[in-house]
Amino acid sequence: MRRAEIVTAVLMAAFSIYLMWKSAELPVGWIPDEGPGGGAFSFWLSAMMLVCCVWIAINWVRRASPPSRSDAPFMDSFARNKFVLVGGGVTAMIGLVHFVGMYGAIPAFLVYYLRFLGRHSWLTTLAIALGAPVVTFFFFDVALRIVLPKGYLEPLFYPLYDIFL
Amino acid sequence: MESILLSLSGGLLEAFQPLNLLMIVIGCVVGLFIGAMPGLGSVNGVAILLPITFLVPPNAAIMFLAAIYYGAMYGGAISSITLGIPGASTAVATVFDGRPLAIAGKADQALTAAAIASFVGGTVSVVLFTLFAPPLADFALRFGPPEEFALMVLAFATFIGLGGDDIPKTIFSILIGLVLATIGLDIISGRPRLIFFDISGFMHGINFLVLAIGIYGIGEMLWTLEQTEGNVIVHKVNMSWRAFLTNLGHVKYYIKTTILGSILGYFVGTLPAAGATPASLMSYGLAKTFSKDPESFGKGNVAGVAAPEAANNAASTGSMLPMITLGIPGSPTTAILLGGMIIWGLRPGPLLFTEHPDFVWGLIGSLYVANAFTVLINLAFIPLFVRVLTMPFTVLAPIIFVLCVVGGYAPSQTMHDVWLMLLFGVAGYLLRKLNYPVAPAVLAIVLGPLAEQSFRQSLLGSQGEVWIFFERPISATCIAIAAALVLYPVLRGLRKPAKAQA
């Protein structure tokens, strides 16, 4: 925990500096009779973020915040496994959307999660994995007219578009 | 007074429109369910489900979301009592006495008390809301950009002074939310700013929903999955008409604490950083202090269930007061509602009362209706909700992840936002492990554009003189209170560094 605390503070400080530099692409100073320039708001806020990071670091040195006193690991093996399996699954689902669209990625993710992480029966798994995209299609594509990405599966939907849209 | 009653009856009629009524009832049921599921609270439900309300007009949408908010406050008690795990942080105090009652086989008594107390809390607070909102909005009509900005500063300061989290981390969270809100086109000069790596997706800015769904959907799920190891035991609930009537007779034991808790909850709820969780804890403490039998608290006193439940419902209504009248959300959930109003093309603030009276009064009317429906649905279907609680989390979690991805896509319809949502969710989860509070960031990204606009308009009006914020009485008062709220904990922290090292 203690190491994670300072690493995060340093990373966030670097991010603040990057934000300040990026904000400075627009005028950050005072424009006479008008007030601050377009980048000023974000520039000074980022500068204050940097100050907070320094403050967090000082607390770390003084051991004034609970994480800076804690010897517990930032993530134990249980948490790390969960994080990698679940977070990785969600990342893979979003990645898959680019290729097979929402309607390919959603069932794939649900089968992965329900069957392999949740150890549910194939019946439960398939009922949810196949039911969810149908509900989603009628809700978003048909009712809301928000056409979700289809990727390479687009041609399969032409007949459905003809019927419902 | 007469005009208030007239407007209120108009609002009630609006709430009884078939579509609106349907949305309220669905919202109540969904809210009860969300509140009852450990790991999901009103804020998660409202954030994840906001995109699906694009289907209905704004009036019905806000009633639906408000009903979820309301229902979740009732629902939290169900798991606090039957599982011994708070369904949401707002129901933490309900566990103290609800759990011992359930162990003693009196779960039905506790659940009835929770439902009735929630109903009383809801009713008291809605009446207070109806009385306070119009005059406050009237008063706020005099506010110009400097007052608006000062009020937002005050809202942020309450997080620092009253939030109780690590101070630099709280400030950091507010600031990062504000900076994320500045991404996109500069509102005054029209020039693009903070376009990271020249990715065009940043040109349209970061929709607050991307951050809200990321943090309260993805991040919250990751957090809950890590926290809920092991199995939970569900306590049996025996409900019969006869038992129900006996339990109803017990109202006399806790009605006083309930009303006290309701009033307390309402006023604590109006403060941006406070809200339902501290209100329920304070109400519990108050009930114990004023009880003739303080020893029995924590061992299964019905008043110990009623007091926090009344307060958390009252606080949820209370937090809508500043949202509707001033345009400043009183809680993370109302921050998301406020963001929703902006998406629906409404400008939150005092003008809502004059420009969209049907919207405001419809919402107020819907609170009365939702309150009545929730108590009925809650009492009638307690056994059903208890059964739902046995649903494994491994079914709920993947469905919520799917809802997040689809919901993150819907507002702007770009995959860029879905990736950003994932990034925020993971970052929010990791930062939360290190005690960075996440609610201030969500509030800040909603208020950010409004804050910057009012700040720069004020300075344009005063030709660049910062003194404008201190010259006008209302804004000067707000700034002074804000400064005190920030300085007090900072000075206190500096004074006793020795204790921290101990």
Side-chain angles (χ1 to χ4, degrees):
Chain A
M1 218 48 132
R2 185 164 159 77
R3 195 175 46 182
E5 171 86 345
I6 192 70
V7 169
T8 310
V10 170
L11 282 177
M12 289 298 145
F15 182 54
S16 312
I17 295 170
Y18 171 71
L19 283 173
M20 286 169 71
W21 170 75
K22 195 76 189 161
S23 302
E25 287 175 355
L26 269 72
V28 296
W30 201 266
I31 301 168
D33 297 336
E34 191 181 293
F41 204 66
S42 51
F43 178 84
W44 292 106
L45 289 171
S46 314
M48 277 146 60
M49 271 166 66
L50 185 62
V51 174
C52 286
C53 292
V54 173
W55 190 350
I56 294 168
I58 293 173
N59 280 346
W60 180 80
V61 173
R62 291 167 58 214
R63 292 178 181 262
S65 62
S68 65
R69 286 196 298 276
S70 165
D71 292 326
F74 179 62
M75 275 190 178
D76 53 23
S77 61
F78 173 84
R80 194 163 40 231
N81 274 342
K82 272 266 152 87
F83 181 65
V84 170
L85 288 174
V86 175
V90 178
T91 311
M93 164 165 62
I94 301 176
L96 271 179
V97 172
H98 290 278
F99 301 100
V100 292
M102 287 283 185
Y103 297 104
I106 291 174
F109 173 75
L110 288 172
V111 167
Y112 162 76
Y113 203 113
L114 292 164
R115 180 66 206 174
F116 298 103
L117 297 185
R119 303 191 188 285
H120 291 283
S121 67
W122 273 112
L123 183 71
T124 318
T125 306
L126 288 179
I128 297 175
L130 299 178
V134 175
V135 175
T136 315
F137 179 78
F138 281 102
F139 199 91
F140 283 92
D141 289 70
V142 178
L144 280 175
R145 299 285 155 128
I146 293 176
V147 179
L148 296 176
K150 308 285 186 315
Y152 294 116
L153 301 182
E154 184 93 45
L156 292 177
F157 285 85
Y158 293 154
L160 289 172
Y161 290 161
D162 288 340
I163 302 170
F164 295 110
L165 296 184
Chain B
M1 191 67 204
E2 263 171 44
S3 65
I4 290 181
L5 285 178
L6 203 67
S7 310
L8 180 62
S9 50
L12 284 170
L13 279 179
E14 178 77 24
F16 274 110
Q17 301 276 338
L19 174 69
N20 294 347
L21 194 61
L22 180 73
M23 293 307 284
I24 292 172
V25 174
I26 298 176
C28 292
V29 174
V30 173
L32 278 167
F33 173 74
I34 287 170
M37 290 307 292
L40 289 180
S42 60
V43 64
N44 313 97
V46 170
I48 297 168
L49 295 179
L50 189 105
I52 72 165
T53 62
F54 298 158
L55 188 61
V56 291
N59 285 17
I62 187 99
M63 289 181 192
F64 172 70
L65 295 174
I68 291 182
Y69 192 12
Y70 221 83
M73 292 294 156
Y74 277 78
I78 300 175
S79 48
S80 289
I81 293 164
T82 56
L83 300 181
I85 306 171
S89 70
T90 50
V92 169
T94 315
V95 178
F96 302 159
D97 276 280
R99 181 69 174 165
L101 279 168
I103 292 172
K106 294 181 192 160
D108 57 322
Q109 205 182 325
L111 286 167
T112 313
I116 290 171
S118 298
F119 178 73
V120 173
T123 311
V124 169
S125 59
V126 172
V127 172
L128 287 174
F129 185 95
T130 315
L131 295 177
F132 276 99
L136 189 60
D138 240 11
F139 178 69
L141 277 177
R142 279 181 269 166
F143 289 7
E147 282 80 13
E148 280 172 22
F149 180 73
L151 216 56
M152 287 184 221
V153 172
L154 179 58
F156 292 126
T158 56
F159 275 98
I160 302 164
L162 307 174
D165 294 298
D166 192 318
I167 294 165
K169 287 176 185 170
T170 308
I171 303 178
F172 184 85
S173 177
I174 296 169
L175 292 171
I176 202 162
L178 289 172
V179 173
L180 290 176
T182 64
I183 292 170
L185 294 176
D186 169 23
I187 36 173
I188 290 184
S189 70
R191 286 174 58 188
R193 73 184 158 180
L194 294 180
I195 310 300
F196 302 120
F197 309 108
D198 291 324
I199 299 170
S200 62
F202 286 110
M203 289 292 275
H204 65 250
I206 294 183
N207 191 314
F208 82 98
L209 263 179
V210 173
L211 182 72
I213 297 179
I215 284 181
Y216 288 116
I218 307 261
E220 187 85 32
M221 280 297 109
L222 291 172
W223 177 262
T224 311
L225 285 169
E226 189 196 323
Q227 302 295 316
T228 52
E229 304 174 46
N231 291 320
V232 291
I233 306 154
V234 181
H235 279 274
K236 279 222 176 88
V237 185
N238 298 312
M239 281 294 254
S240 65
W241 273 108
R242 180 188 288 248
F244 175 69
L245 289 176
T246 330
N247 290 334
L248 213 55
H250 290 167
V251 171
K252 59 178 181 286
Y253 299 125
Y254 53 79
I255 189 71
K256 253 194 223 160
T257 38
T258 304
I259 291 176
L260 197 67
S262 310
I263 297 170
L264 175 84
Y266 176 78
F267 287 103
V268 174
T270 57
L271 300 170
T277 308
S280 60
L281 289 165
M282 282 163 75
S283 170
Y284 181 85
L286 211 65
K288 191 175 169 179
T289 314
F290 285 103
S291 168
K292 284 179 196 134
D293 184 17
E295 292 296 306
S296 66
F297 275 76
K299 293 175 191 150
N301 188 327
V302 191
V305 173
E309 278 305 305
N312 69 25
N313 267 69
S316 71
T317 314
S319 66
M320 289 195 208
L321 180 77
M323 172 190 83
I324 286 289
T325 55
L326 310 173
I328 307 280
S331 66
T333 313
T334 43
I336 293 165
L337 291 180
L338 189 97
M341 283 157 67
I342 297 171
I343 294 184
W344 300 321
L346 299 161
R347 193 184 145 75
L351 283 173
L352 263 185
F353 268 90
T354 37
E355 285 175 358
H356 302 278
D358 52 328
F359 178 84
V360 178
W361 286 104
L363 171 64
I364 297 176
S366 84
L367 294 177
Y368 284 89
V369 179
N371 195 19
F373 270 106
T374 321
V375 76
L376 292 177
I377 296 170
N378 190 356
L379 287 172
F381 294 105
I382 281 176
L384 186 75
F385 282 111
V386 172
R387 183 151 339 135
V388 164
L389 285 180
T390 55
M391 182 170 125
F393 206 66
T394 44
V395 170
L396 190 69
I399 294 176
I400 289 173
F401 281 125
V402 167
L403 264 176
C404 290
V405 170
V406 181
Y409 180 84
S412 61
Q413 301 177 33
T414 57
M415 283 307 287
H416 168 84
D417 278 4
V418 179
W419 284 110
L420 261 185
M421 176 200 69
L422 178 69
L423 178 76
F424 289 143
V426 172
Y429 160 71
L430 295 175
L431 287 174
R432 193 170 163 190
K433 283 175 78 74
L434 290 169
N435 294 358
Y436 284 79
V438 289
V442 174
L443 196 77
I445 199 172
V446 175
L447 289 183
L450 306 170
E452 187 186 3
Q453 202 179 353
S454 57
F455 180 67
R456 287 169 70 179
Q457 274 176 353
S458 310
L459 289 175
L460 277 173
S462 71
Q463 274 142 12
E465 279 296 332
V466 193
W467 287 110
I468 185 155
F469 296 112
F470 305 97
E471 280 168 3
R472 300 170 61 134
I474 299 172
S475 82
T477 315
C478 290
I479 299 264
I481 300 174
L485 278 170
V486 175
L487 287 177
Y488 172 65
V490 172
L491 292 178
R492 202 180 46 179
L494 288 178
R495 244 159 137 209
K496 42 178 182 182
K499 195 198 157 204
Q501 276 168 353

